Amino acid sequence: MVKWKHLFFILLGAVVSVVLILIIMMSIPPKDDQYRGTSLDESDYAPFNISTNKHDLNLLINHYLEEEILEGAMDYKVLLDEEVDLYGTLPIFSQNLQLKLSFESMAMENGDIVLQQKGISVGQMDLPISFVMKLIKDNYNIPDWVVIQPNEERIYVALTEMELKSDVKVKVDQFDLKNDEIQFTLLVPVK
């Protein structure tokens, strides 16, 4: 009978230790990739101004995700409405939980976009935002020009560094989702 008590307390101690380690790991903020946007030298490019709307840009973004980025990665999609919403699944403890992150967007002077985290929904769980963003960063196939900064609770989208065919560059001039006013400049190389 004494062996059972000892074995029970050893097992209980192991379970409590694992739970404590998981709680500590979830509460430690991850290290952010520091990213500072750079300005693009436009002297070698011919600019073409483009105006669009949320509906058409949604089609383009999700087509780009399917064709260029996903390639066997986890399923996620982006929806532009009053804000930028990211929908997907998040693997936690061998379960796929439904995920929704909402971001407020801001166009930068250099033509990039910063997405500041505004709301989060992960199944029925209440997880720290920085932890969820770290899981996304570690588990999703994200291009190099998208920098997730969990501690800052934001995503930096360096559109000016996005690699397009024929070395065409893109920069955002206006990104007002509430008024559906979206303007880009396509920079086509001339040299």
Side-chain angles (χ1 to χ4, degrees):
M1 189 77 149
V2 174
K3 280 187 176 184
W4 279 100
K5 285 183 181 180
H6 289 304
L7 290 175
F8 171 76
F9 285 116
I10 290 172
L11 180 61
L12 180 64
V15 169
V16 168
S17 298
V18 168
V19 169
L20 285 174
I21 289 171
L22 286 174
I23 290 172
I24 290 170
M25 288 177 63
M26 286 175 44
S27 63
I28 295 173
K31 183 181 175 194
D32 274 350
D33 292 334
Q34 293 302 316
Y35 186 83
R36 303 267 189 256
T38 57
S39 294
L40 184 64
D41 179 16
E42 298 180 31
S43 62
D44 295 337
Y45 295 91
F48 292 91
N49 297 320
I50 298 172
S51 290
T52 188
N53 58 43
K54 292 183 282 194
H55 177 266
D56 292 341
L57 192 54
N58 275 326
L59 294 174
L60 178 67
I61 290 171
N62 288 299
H63 175 75
Y64 182 79
L65 288 175
E66 288 175 17
E67 296 296 319
E68 301 293 329
I69 295 176
L70 289 178
E71 296 179 12
M74 288 179 243
D75 185 30
Y76 67 98
K77 71 176 185 173
V78 173
L79 177 65
L80 304 178
D81 195 19
E82 294 287 312
E83 51 204 22
V84 179
D85 293 327
L86 170 73
Y87 294 91
T89 56
L90 188 64
I92 296 180
F93 304 121
S94 73
Q95 294 289 322
N96 284 333
L97 298 176
Q98 295 301 313
L99 166 74
K100 178 188 175 193
L101 290 171
S102 298
F103 297 93
E104 191 173 312
S105 59
M106 183 173 58
M108 305 299 289
E109 283 186 34
N110 69 344
D112 294 338
I113 297 176
V114 170
L115 303 173
Q116 187 65 46
Q117 203 281 321
K118 188 175 176 185
I120 186 169
S121 169
V122 181
Q124 298 295 320
M125 297 176 69
D126 186 24
L127 298 173
I129 294 167
S130 60
F131 176 73
V132 173
M133 290 183 76
K134 172 83 167 103
L135 283 176
I136 291 169
K137 180 179 178 179
D138 293 342
N139 291 297
Y140 280 73
N141 183 18
I142 297 174
D144 294 337
W145 47 271
V146 176
V147 180
I148 296 180
Q149 299 172 319
N151 290 337
E152 302 291 326
E153 297 179 0
R154 71 177 175 202
I155 298 176
Y156 191 95
V157 183
L159 287 177
T160 55
E161 294 183 19
M162 182 171 53
E163 294 181 18
L164 297 173
K165 293 178 182 175
S166 302
D167 201 27
V168 172
K169 300 291 182 190
V170 177
K171 73 177 219 174
V172 173
D173 299 315
Q174 183 176 2
F175 203 73
D176 183 359
L177 295 177
K178 290 182 176 137
N179 296 314
D180 204 11
E181 295 175 3
I182 303 167
Q183 296 178 2
F184 292 92
T185 298
L186 268 182
L187 298 165
V188 179
V190 291
K191 291 185 181 180

